[in-house]
Amino acid sequence: MPSVDYTQQGFTSIRVNIDKGVAIVTLCRSNQRNTFVEATVADIVKAYDLFDRDDCVRVVLMTAEQDSPAFCAGAELSKGWGSLFTPEVEEEGDTFHRDSGGIVTLAIFRCRKITMVAVNGHAVGVGITGLQLPCDIRFAWAGTKLAFPFVRRGIAPEAASSYLLPKLLGNSRALSLFLTGATVTPDSPLLSGLYHTILPNREDVFPAALALAKDLAENTSMTAVAVSKALVWRGYDNIEEQHVLDSRAIRVLATGGDANEGATAFMQRRPPKFSDAPGSLKQWMPWWREVAVVPRKAKL
């Protein structure tokens, strides 16, 4: 049983239910094409923080209602762009704010569990940048229409997409998508590699994603997942330092119960029963803030 009652959290733009270690997040503003509003921000930030801390949740899967006309049709613009930003505040002499799409991106990105999305409808703007790019694994319906329309609306890419999209696709394809604002489908060469699976039938997207989510929830170690995600996104930009970091990660994990259970289960030819929680890594993670990993000088 989950340690959190997700039906009592006051969510209005999403529904959350737990199925065998998988937290299913369903966007439920179908009559409004799941446009991005303040409630969306508040609900997703709260939910993903809870998922991160709930050891009964191993995988998070976001989707839209099957009959929704869109997965997410982008930002709700009836009140103008101003509603998409936090109020400006003063900090250390500078005035700044945060775009709400980026706040959602960071909430999903920082979740230490496996994050997945089943895109079963059209997605525009923040429907891609904030709800898809920060996820680990993406499924999509082949008929989905996708667009990054920012330059055609007089604004710049938001939701930290100017960081994530080039990292995921490379600068050339990211610029093609950003600067043309073209509408594409998941199988476009410009999106090559972004989606784990693209399915021809809309109704098959969520079941296929859920099947993988349940498999991962049952057969992966939460601590190994958290470390693997951090190594990819928080690593170094040269092979020597990354080698030191990889080595340290293996050593830290090897002292945990999951590593012993993984080896034992393999030898006994049975499914593993992993029980370590990400909280057990607090002595080491986040190393990018607390641990200085400096490689020894090579002997010439």
Side-chain angles (χ1 to χ4, degrees):
M1 294 293 292
S3 59
V4 177
D5 184 351
Y6 291 97
T7 66
Q8 300 298 316
Q9 299 304 314
F11 300 135
T12 60
S13 68
I14 63 174
R15 291 194 309 271
V16 176
N17 67 288
I18 310 298
D19 186 356
K20 296 182 179 179
V22 179
I24 301 170
V25 179
T26 305
L27 303 173
C28 60
R29 297 182 67 251
S30 295
N31 291 340
Q32 294 78 34
R33 301 176 63 85
N34 291 319
T35 49
F36 199 78
V37 294
E38 291 181 8
T40 312
V41 180
D43 288 351
I44 291 178
V45 169
K46 181 177 182 179
Y48 278 77
D49 176 63
L50 291 172
F51 300 149
D52 180 69
R53 294 183 284 113
D54 186 353
D55 291 340
C56 294
V57 172
R58 292 177 173 268
V59 179
V60 184
L61 173 60
M62 180 186 293
T63 193
E65 293 174 318
Q66 186 60 46
D67 59 353
S68 176
F71 172 76
C72 174
E76 171 56 62
L77 296 179
S78 61
K79 298 180 181 179
W81 294 116
S83 62
L84 303 180
F85 301 98
T86 61
E88 290 190 336
V89 296
E90 294 286 341
E91 183 173 286
E92 298 181 355
D94 294 323
T95 300
F96 76 97
H97 54 239
R98 296 287 183 264
D99 76 282
S100 55
I103 292 171
V104 165
T105 291
L106 290 175
I108 297 173
F109 183 86
R110 288 170 176 167
C111 181
R112 291 169 295 178
K113 311 301 175 61
I114 296 173
T115 55
M116 299 176 59
V117 60
V119 184
N120 55 352
H122 307 312
V124 177
V126 72
I128 311 172
T129 59
L131 301 184
Q132 298 185 43
L133 296 187
C135 294
D136 301 318
I137 300 173
R138 306 165 197 84
F139 281 65
W141 167 43
T144 298
K145 294 180 180 178
L146 306 160
F148 299 83
F150 309 110
V151 298
R152 295 178 181 268
R153 302 291 183 267
I155 63 170
E158 38 68 284
S161 59
S162 61
Y163 173 82
L164 288 174
L165 197 64
K167 288 284 187 181
L168 293 166
L169 297 179
N171 287 351
S172 178
R173 283 182 284 171
L175 285 170
S176 290
L177 290 163
F178 283 147
L179 300 185
T180 65
T183 298
V184 296
T185 53
D187 57 0
S188 166
L190 292 176
L191 295 175
S192 178
L194 184 64
Y195 291 96
H196 178 276
T197 301
I198 300 171
L199 294 128
N201 299 316
R202 180 182 181 184
E203 62 271 19
D204 294 336
V205 176
F206 174 71
L210 181 61
L212 177 61
K214 288 183 176 180
D215 172 64
L216 297 177
E218 184 176 359
N219 296 299
T220 61
S221 159
M222 285 194 290
T223 51
V225 163
V227 168
S228 297
K229 290 176 60 165
L231 287 172
V232 169
W233 287 109
R234 305 287 191 176
Y236 293 93
D237 61 0
N238 64 79
I239 193 170
E240 291 82 9
E241 286 184 300
Q242 192 68 16
H243 165 55
V244 174
L245 196 57
D246 286 348
S247 300
R248 186 162 186 166
I250 293 174
R251 183 176 181 181
V252 168
L253 289 174
T255 62
D258 278 3
N260 181 65
E261 168 61 13
T264 301
F266 175 76
M267 295 299 294
Q268 295 178 353
R269 298 184 179 183
R270 60 170 175 80
K273 296 181 180 179
F274 295 123
S275 59
D276 288 349
S280 65
L281 300 169
K282 61 185 177 182
Q283 298 298 322
W284 183 59
M285 292 178 69
W287 72 79
W288 52 92
R289 294 177 183 169
E290 299 173 359
V291 177
V293 180
V294 180
R296 297 177 180 177
K297 292 182 179 179
K299 294 182 179 180
L300 301 179

